[in-house]
């Protein structure tokens, strides 16, 4: 008998997980494992029998009816179980109705430890499934690679050239994809690539399962037979490639040509992954130096940029996309999942969008911030429009909240540190004053920022306390909340109903407090110029 859920609970990311319901189904074999974050009713089109699914239900965390609908679909399709991650972060607690549903169906519902990620759960299971079902190809033996392929991999820096030459030797047109279903290289026509991408989007897990025995499968895509071959080592999956299936394919399997392409592809993508990771680190270091201008000369700054293929001299505006959600989450595993999702899924969309507006621009992702370096010398880029489209990329994704800040235009590359500060302040100060998921320009927060800076001066803080003194002393002596009431009334333009709702008190109580405030001050703090004074005071004191 193959790997069961009961056995999977003894190792890897599922070790220490809790079986919340459906214990009768723990002996069900696992034939494949996948992530499920789609909350649509039509998931029955592609979920697989005996597949174990992993989810956090972040898209429907507050909709128990939809959660039940998804689970009922999994049960009907004879999936083998569901692992819930990050319970307490997305779903606060598992609904009793869902537990009852899973118990009645004998459908294992497993609550993972909060400190494990999807990848930590999936990788050990995938590795075991491959070991059980695969005639593994030993990819660390270079003798299995044709010499001409090996020379290409070792000596050619351009990955596109390597794949192109491999295709010529195979005498076929081939498309290569990474594990996120994104095309790496293809010499097939656009229609074929689009058909492959759509097929991968809906059937990636099905392909993995079908390839588990031989490393390849034959699939019908829009009436044409395609051979789909995994690019993998014994323990790691790097991608896959598509080519037309005909009589030559089986012959090339026998003569080892396909296997040589798999091994070469593995070496190429391993190399690509390491180079990409190294480039990201070097770019982050370079950008860090740009933001503090840590260069002995302007020439050195330009030189380091050109080594990375980045131009700096023509840049004159910076946009910051601040990922508020990453900052607000304390669990490092959840932060890493968000960062991984942004880096591998959303960042490519941001790059494509940016290229439409400004082909000379470039960006870097640093922890919880995406920095866009813009060439907007002639003001041709519609920054408001770009910002709104950036927000749409993140809207509804992983429950992400972002704030977009735009700097003023600058004239010299040595002004980059100041421009970054402006964009960052526009995003963060703008978030405080205008709300999240907004595009804010530096000019819109200029005076708010000056108030924030004033809060760092002891004499200013002392004056704030002096002006608020009558109310602060009354609150301290009588254990009341007049200060909070004053702030809330000012922010809400004296809207008594809204203030009452925010303070969780009756409207009459707000009116009583409002009268008391006027009595303590000896004047109405809601009339000008007192109103302006107190609005500034609260902003200074809140951000000091």
């Amino acid at each position: 008998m193959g790997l069961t859920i009961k056995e999977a609970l003894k190792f890897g990311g599922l070790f220490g997980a809790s079986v919340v319901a459906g214990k009768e189904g723990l002996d069900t074999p696992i034939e494949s494992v996948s992530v499920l974050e789609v909350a649509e009713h039509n998931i029955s089109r592609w979920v697989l029998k005996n597949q174990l699914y992993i989810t956090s239900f972040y898209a429907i965390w507050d909709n128990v009816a939809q959660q039940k609908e998804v689970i009922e679909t999994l049960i009907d399709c004879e999936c083998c179980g569901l692992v819930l991650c990050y319970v307490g972060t997305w779903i606060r607690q598992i609904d009793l109705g869902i537990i009852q549903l899973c118990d009645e169906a004998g459908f294992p519902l497993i609550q993972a430890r909060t400190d494990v990620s999807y990848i930590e759960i999936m990788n050990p299971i995938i590795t075991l499934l491959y070991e059980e079902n695969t005639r593994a190809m030993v990819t660390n033996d270079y003798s299995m690679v044709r010499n001409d392929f090996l020379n290409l991999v070792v000596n050619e820096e351009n990955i596109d050239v390597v794949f192109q030459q491999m295709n010529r030797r195979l005498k076929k047109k081939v498309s290569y994809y990474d594990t996120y279903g994104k095309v790496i290289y293809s010499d097939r026509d656009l229609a074929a690539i689009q058909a492959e991408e759509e097929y991968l989007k809906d059937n990636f897990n099905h392909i993995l399962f079908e390839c588990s025995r031989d490393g390849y499968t034959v699939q019908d895509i829009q009436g044409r037979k395609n051979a789909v071959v995994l690019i993998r080592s014994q323990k790691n999956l790097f991608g896959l490639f598509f080519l037309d299936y005909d009589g030559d394919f089986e012959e090339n399997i026998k003569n080892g040509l396909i296997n040589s392409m798999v091994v070469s592809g593995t070496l190429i993508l391993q190399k690509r992954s390491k180079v990409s990771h190294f480039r990201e680190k070097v770019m982050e270091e370079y950008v860090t130096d740009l933001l503090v201008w840590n260069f002995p000369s302007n020439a050195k700054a330009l030189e380091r940029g050109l080594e990375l293929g980045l131009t700096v001299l023509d840049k004159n505006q910076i946009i910051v996309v601040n990922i508020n959600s990453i900052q607000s989450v304390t669990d490092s595993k959840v932060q890493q999942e968000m960062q991984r999702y942004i880096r591998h899924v959303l960042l490519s969309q941001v790059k494509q969008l940016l290229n439409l507006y400004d082909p000379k621009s470039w960006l870097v992702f640093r922890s919880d911030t995406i920095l866009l370096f813009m060439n907007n010398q002639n003001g041709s880029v519609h920054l408001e429009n770009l910002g709104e489209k950036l927000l749409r990329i993140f809207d509804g994704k992983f429950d992400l909240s972002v704030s977009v800040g735009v700097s003023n235009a600058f004239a010299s590359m040595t002004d980059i540190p100041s421009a970054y500060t402006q964009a960052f302040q526009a995003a963060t100060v703008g978030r405080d004053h205008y709300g999240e998921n907004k595009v804010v320009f530096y000019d819109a927060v200029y005076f708010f920022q000056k108030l924030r800076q004033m809060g760092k001066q002891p004499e200013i803080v002392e004056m704030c306390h002096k002006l608020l003194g009558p109310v602060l002393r009354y609150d301290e002596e009588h254990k009341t909340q007049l200060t909070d009431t004053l702030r809330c009334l000012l922010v809400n333009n004296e809207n008594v109903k809204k203030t009452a709702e925010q303070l969780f008190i009756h409207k009459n109580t707000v009116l009583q407090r409002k009268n008391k405030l006027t009595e303590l001050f000896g004047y109405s703090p809601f009339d000008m110029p007192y109103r302006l004074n107190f609005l500034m005071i609260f902003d200074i004191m809140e951000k000091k």
Side-chain angles (χ1 to χ4, degrees):
M1 188 175 182
L3 177 68
T4 65
I5 295 179
K6 185 183 291 183
E7 291 299 315
L9 290 167
K10 297 178 182 178
F11 64 88
L14 286 183
F15 180 76
S18 305
V19 180
V20 178
K23 294 181 180 180
E24 293 179 4
L26 291 178
D27 289 325
T28 304
I30 302 173
E31 294 183 358
S32 55
V33 59
S34 180
V35 172
L36 175 71
E37 293 298 4
V38 180
E40 300 172 358
H41 66 279
N42 60 354
I43 61 171
S44 59
R45 292 189 298 108
W46 50 267
V47 295
L48 300 176
K49 180 180 179 180
N50 288 340
Q51 187 160 49
L52 178 66
Y53 285 95
I54 305 168
T55 189
S56 65
F57 274 152
Y58 68 80
I60 52 173
W61 64 271
D62 59 346
N63 193 324
V64 174
Q66 278 190 278
Q67 294 169 22
K68 285 183 178 178
E69 185 178 350
V70 168
I71 292 174
E72 286 169 349
T73 303
L74 297 180
I75 293 170
D76 291 342
C77 293
E78 299 183 51
C79 302
C80 63
L82 181 68
V83 180
L84 276 177
C85 291
Y86 310 127
V87 174
T89 300
W90 304 114
I91 296 178
R92 298 305 174 190
Q93 59 183 12
I94 302 173
D95 184 79
L96 292 177
I98 287 177
I99 294 174
Q100 182 179 353
L101 170 65
C102 294
D103 271 331
E104 290 175 354
F107 180 76
L109 180 64
I110 299 159
Q111 180 177 329
R113 301 196 321 268
T114 57
D115 62 335
V116 299
S117 65
Y118 294 174
I119 298 300
E120 289 171 310
I121 296 171
M122 291 180 68
N123 277 350
I125 295 175
I126 289 173
T127 299
L128 275 180
L129 291 175
Y130 278 155
E131 288 176 356
E132 288 179 356
N133 301 323
T134 306
R135 296 201 303 267
M137 293 171 281
V138 183
T139 61
N140 57 358
D141 183 358
Y142 288 177
S143 67
M144 297 181 67
V145 188
R146 284 174 37 158
N147 286 336
D148 53 347
F149 283 5
L150 188 57
N151 286 333
L152 273 172
V153 174
V154 172
N155 297 316
E156 179 56 60
E157 293 295 325
N158 191 318
I159 290 175
D160 287 356
V161 172
V162 179
F163 284 130
Q164 183 185 62
Q165 293 300 319
M166 285 169 55
N167 291 1
R168 286 180 180 176
R169 284 153 174 77
L170 186 65
K171 298 179 180 179
K172 291 184 182 297
K173 292 185 177 181
V174 185
S175 299
Y176 300 84
Y177 291 86
D178 63 19
T179 53
Y180 293 91
K182 298 188 182 300
V183 65
I184 301 168
Y185 172 81
S186 178
D187 50 12
R188 308 182 92 182
D189 61 59
L190 183 60
I193 295 171
Q194 289 175 341
E196 291 162 0
E197 288 178 337
E198 285 300 314
Y199 191 80
L200 277 177
K201 185 178 178 181
D202 294 331
N203 298 280
F204 194 86
N205 296 311
H206 174 65
I207 288 172
L208 290 183
F209 174 68
E210 290 295 318
C211 290
S212 61
R213 190 187 68 171
D214 298 313
Y216 71 90
T217 181
V218 179
Q219 300 291 316
D220 189 282
I221 303 177
Q222 294 187 349
R224 185 172 63 182
K225 282 190 174 182
N226 281 260
V228 188
V229 185
L230 296 185
I231 303 173
R232 62 176 173 80
S233 64
Q234 283 182 303
K235 293 186 177 180
N236 294 302
L237 177 67
F238 297 95
L240 48 83
F241 60 83
F242 283 81
L243 67 159
D244 288 336
Y245 178 79
D246 52 29
D248 291 342
F249 180 80
E250 296 294 343
E251 182 62 31
N252 287 328
I253 285 284
K254 292 177 184 177
N255 65 29
L257 185 56
I258 296 296
N259 190 50
S260 288
M261 292 183 68
V262 170
V263 179
S264 300
T266 300
L267 296 173
I268 293 166
L269 296 185
Q270 280 181 323
K271 178 181 177 182
R272 176 178 179 263
S273 178
K274 290 176 181 177
V275 169
S276 177
H277 181 70
F278 176 74
R279 177 179 169 79
E280 284 178 6
K281 292 297 181 185
V282 173
M283 277 191 69
E284 286 183 24
E285 290 175 4
Y286 176 60
V287 168
T288 299
D289 286 341
L290 279 178
L291 300 184
V292 297
W293 203 253
N294 185 30
F295 301 104
S297 66
N298 292 358
K300 188 62 178 177
L302 290 172
E303 179 187 335
R304 279 185 57 189
L306 291 173
E307 288 173 357
L308 291 166
L310 307 176
T311 57
V312 184
L313 198 59
D314 60 343
K315 301 299 177 285
N316 76 321
Q317 209 140 21
I318 292 177
I319 296 178
V320 165
V321 181
N322 202 59
I323 318 294
N324 304 324
S325 306
I326 293 178
Q327 297 173 350
S328 62
V329 171
T330 56
D331 190 318
S332 61
K333 295 291 183 181
V334 179
Q335 287 181 336
Q336 290 168 12
E337 283 298 314
M338 287 181 173
Q339 290 168 338
R340 186 181 68 84
Y341 178 73
I342 291 167
R343 188 179 300 281
H344 294 292
V345 179
L346 300 184
L347 208 58
S348 61
Q349 298 178 35
V350 175
K351 289 177 181 177
Q352 290 172 9
L353 174 65
L354 195 58
N355 192 54
L356 291 175
Y357 282 81
D358 174 21
K360 294 183 179 180
S361 62
W362 49 274
L363 61 82
V364 66
F365 179 39
R366 303 169 71 238
S367 180
D368 56 10
T369 305
I370 302 174
L371 296 176
L372 284 62
F373 292 80
M374 306 288 300
N375 175 5
N376 190 26
Q377 301 285 352
N378 56 5
S380 59
V381 178
H382 195 308
L383 293 173
E384 293 91 344
N385 187 268
L386 171 59
E388 290 298 329
K389 289 186 177 179
L390 281 170
L391 290 177
R392 286 188 209 129
I393 289 176
F394 291 87
D395 183 38
K397 308 294 195 321
F398 215 128
D399 201 26
L400 290 174
S401 160
V402 300
S403 297
V404 178
V406 184
S407 77
N408 289 338
F410 54 90
S412 169
M413 63 181 180
T414 55
D415 293 329
I416 285 177
S418 298
Y420 164 71
T421 300
Q422 289 178 354
F424 182 75
Q425 289 171 354
T428 55
V429 179
R431 176 185 60 201
D432 296 336
H433 289 275
Y434 298 105
E436 298 184 330
N437 301 310
K438 296 283 195 306
V439 181
V440 180
F441 288 74
Y442 177 67
D443 288 347
V445 301
Y446 178 82
F447 289 107
F448 294 133
Q449 179 59 26
K450 292 302 179 184
L451 289 175
R452 180 174 286 190
Q453 292 171 357
M454 289 171 66
K456 298 176 182 178
Q457 302 174 34
E459 66 274 18
I460 299 292
V461 176
E462 183 180 348
M463 178 59 70
C464 291
H465 281 277
K466 181 179 179 180
L467 291 172
L468 277 172
V471 177
L472 292 173
R473 287 191 293 273
Y474 188 89
D475 277 345
E476 186 176 356
E477 291 173 9
H478 298 86
K479 309 302 179 186
T480 53
Q481 295 180 312
L482 290 180
T483 308
D484 287 341
T485 305
L486 173 60
R487 179 191 58 78
C488 209
L489 280 166
L490 288 168
V491 169
N492 292 317
N493 293 316
E494 298 181 70
N495 187 314
V496 174
K497 181 181 178 183
K498 188 179 291 187
T499 300
E501 290 172 352
Q502 292 179 1
L503 296 177
F504 302 102
I505 57 179
H506 195 274
K507 289 189 294 183
N508 290 341
T509 305
V510 175
L511 291 171
Q512 291 169 6
R513 291 182 181 180
K514 187 177 179 182
N515 292 333
K516 187 65 179 179
L517 286 164
T518 301
E519 177 188 328
L520 288 170
F521 284 120
Y523 55 83
S524 172
F526 307 104
D527 294 337
M528 291 294 287
Y530 308 110
R531 177 184 182 81
L532 180 59
N533 282 343
F534 285 113
L535 280 169
M536 289 191 294
I537 286 169
F538 280 116
D539 197 74
I540 290 169
M541 293 185 65
E542 187 177 354
K543 309 303 176 188
K544 68 179 185 293

